[in-house]
Amino acid sequence: MRRALIAGITGQDGAYLTEFLLAKGYEVHGLMRRSSLFNTDRLDHVYRDPHETGPALTLHYGDLTDGTALRRTIEKVRPHEVYNLAAQSHVKVSFDIPEYTADVVAVGTLRLLEALRDYDRAGSVRHVRYYQAGSSEMFGAAPAPQSETTPFYPRSPYAVSKVAAHWYAVNYREAYGMFICNGILFNHESPRRGETFVTRKITRAVGRISEGLQGKLYLGNLDARRDWGFAGDYVEAMWLMLQQDAPDDYVVATGESYSVRDFCEAAFAEVGLDWRDHVAFDQRYLRPTEVDHLLGDASKARDRLGWRPRVGFDALVTQMVGHDLDLARQERALQGAGFFIAARGAALAS
Ligand code: NAP
Ligand code: F7E
């Protein structure tokens, strides 16, 4: 049985990748941060009591800031594949906590690679395959469309840290012959997306406004354009990269871009509302440096991996709004039964 270790298993992509690997028969291990509240909501539906079914999914406490625990977990799990999805992944927040972002995203990747370098033995059964979660944010101000040959021009502490992680990964591949792939993934979304990323912030608001639970939706820059795909499609590309004969780097994207304004229009239209009646500007959501236009050219992934996105922009919006409308209806029912529902995250500018 193949064993995979996922750092960042509790995140959006971690949950989809776990489902994908379990369906392929993998034994999945995840690295999870200790939290004062449970943070496994995205995984609870795939978790099975090991006393009843055997250990298909096992969670281990760990943190990319703790190199000793990373080494110990790798020795214990003895993975065939390692997926590094762990990150402080919010671009705007990275301007508020740049040192922490660098410690997790850049140095955290280095810690994991160092642990693997010592564990890995090229040519032996130990030869581990490693996936690094790179980002289109690394292209930043580089003109669209962006491909594997586009030079990086990062525009945030998050993006600078991802560029460092990317080059650590390339260097360890070249220096030590390790099987390392960088995925350069453009924005990918889903009903499991964190609620402070713009797509989910919009679809949550569409649900709540249409159910009378929220007044306005406050946003920043509506002109930014993104290449938005579906997270469930993108985890397959991660896995495909690790199944090739040789390691390489790949852009993963849909090849279409839309503005934040386009997303608002489509999402409010799903419930028969005009976005202009409900969206207001708040400069708190602007970033010190913005990324204006990301549009990916994923020809290499298509030609070499046979990967294509299945879910397009319209279907993605429909799926996310449908999910968040159901959630808002549940909230309204709870409110009707006398439960207090807090407007989550309202005090945070992200
Ligand atoms: P996400 O939902 O924010 O998940 C991030 C994961 O990293 C969570 O499991 C989080 O744990 C974990 N994490 C954060 N800090 C950590 C630390 N110090 N040590 C260990 N784990 C830590 O992100 P995502 O959307 O799934 O994205 C997955 C990866 O792809 C990230 O590296 C992200 O930067 C990158 N990426 C994302 C996109 C996108 O559009 N989604 C595009 C390109 C690249 P908690 O649950 O405890 O917070
Ligand atoms: O912003 C604009 C904002 O936070 C998208 C991460 O997964 O994808 C993500 O980073 C755009 C930006 O994602 C609001 O200014 C307007 O131009 O949803 P976002 P992101 O910054 O593109 C990349 C590929 C990653 O790697 C990252 O980990 O939307 N925008 N108004 C807003 N954005 C937010 N969050 N909130 C607003 O109110």
Side-chain angles (χ1 to χ4, degrees):
M1 187 184 251
R2 294 201 55 85
R3 279 182 304 280
L5 173 63
I6 305 176
I9 195 167
T10 55
Q12 171 189 251
D13 292 5
Y16 282 107
L17 183 62
T18 300
E19 281 174 359
F20 179 87
L21 294 175
L22 287 174
K24 290 225 168 279
Y26 277 68
E27 185 181 305
V28 177
H29 294 257
L31 202 69
M32 177 185 127
R33 300 194 287 177
R34 193 268 162 184
S35 151
S36 67
L37 288 171
F38 281 117
N39 61 350
T40 55
D41 296 18
R42 293 177 173 115
L43 291 172
D44 290 344
H45 65 292
V46 286
Y47 187 77
R48 299 282 174 274
D49 186 336
H51 302 101
E52 292 167 15
T53 58
L57 169 61
T58 310
L59 298 174
H60 307 261
Y61 282 115
D63 196 301
L64 284 199
T65 59
D66 184 342
T68 312
L70 295 178
R71 283 172 186 274
R72 210 175 285 133
T73 307
I74 287 167
E75 292 288 346
K76 191 169 158 191
V77 172
R78 293 179 292 109
H80 302 99
E81 296 173 11
V82 172
Y83 296 85
N84 179 18
L85 312 181
Q88 186 306 92
S89 71
H90 203 286
V91 172
K92 169 85 176 2
V93 173
S94 78
F95 289 97
D96 300 328
I97 49 171
E99 287 182 30
Y100 175 73
T101 302
D103 194 20
V104 176
V105 176
V107 185
T109 299
L110 181 62
R111 288 187 190 100
L112 193 48
L113 289 171
E114 274 290 272
L116 276 172
R117 173 188 162 198
D118 291 344
Y119 175 78
D120 200 32
R121 299 283 180 277
S124 81
V125 284
R126 277 189 163 185
H127 204 36
V128 183
R129 297 181 171 219
Y130 175 95
Y131 172 83
Q132 173 59 29
S135 165
S136 54
E137 280 292 305
M138 300 188 299
F139 296 124
Q146 296 96 0
S147 73
E148 293 82 2
T149 56
T150 304
F152 297 141
Y153 188 162
R155 297 268 285 171
S156 65
Y158 166 79
V160 173
S161 302
K162 280 288 182 190
V163 171
H166 175 94
W167 286 114
Y168 282 136
V170 171
N171 182 241
Y172 274 57
R173 180 168 71 208
E174 292 174 354
Y176 307 117
M178 294 167 69
F179 193 108
I180 294 175
C181 297
N182 286 295
I184 307 177
L185 272 54
F186 283 62
N187 299 53
H188 44 280
E189 319 293 314
S190 74
R192 294 179 189 162
R193 185 60 142 152
E195 294 183 23
T196 60
F197 296 97
V198 79
T199 55
R200 190 78 203 289
K201 186 172 168 180
I202 294 168
T203 59
R204 278 294 271 147
V206 166
R208 299 188 89 247
I209 288 169
S210 102
E211 288 300 304
L213 294 164
Q214 184 173 330
K216 289 268 178 215
L217 165 63
Y218 292 94
L219 294 174
N221 178 16
L222 301 183
D223 295 324
R225 296 184 74 82
R226 291 289 183 274
D227 180 330
W228 280 299
F230 171 54
D233 288 344
Y234 285 38
V235 298
E236 185 188 10
M238 299 175 189
W239 176 79
L240 282 169
M241 288 178 212
L242 298 199
Q243 312 314 309
Q244 304 307 303
D245 291 338
D248 207 341
D249 305 329
Y250 298 89
V251 158
V252 177
T254 69
E256 288 180 15
S257 75
Y258 296 86
S259 67
V260 174
R261 184 178 290 100
D262 294 334
F263 197 100
C264 284
E265 190 176 343
F268 278 93
E270 285 284 323
V271 294
L273 296 176
D274 185 333
W275 71 277
R276 288 169 296 193
D277 299 332
H278 304 281
V279 175
F281 173 70
D282 185 339
Q283 53 90 28
R284 287 198 310 160
Y285 299 113
L286 296 179
R287 294 154 188 209
T289 40
E290 176 61 288
V291 169
D292 295 325
H293 191 192
L294 293 175
L295 170 65
D297 172 359
S299 323
K300 181 173 167 185
R302 190 188 57 228
D303 297 346
R304 306 229 187 128
L305 305 177
W307 180 86
R308 275 186 181 74
R310 294 190 178 91
V311 178
F313 179 78
D314 292 336
L316 179 66
V317 175
T318 304
Q319 183 191 10
M320 290 178 71
V321 171
H323 176 274
D324 284 343
L325 199 52
D326 285 347
L327 215 54
R329 286 180 179 142
Q330 287 166 24
E331 265 183 61
R332 197 163 55 95
L334 282 171
Q335 220 172 51
F339 288 93
F340 170 71
I341 308 287
R344 298 205 293 174
L348 294 166
S350 52

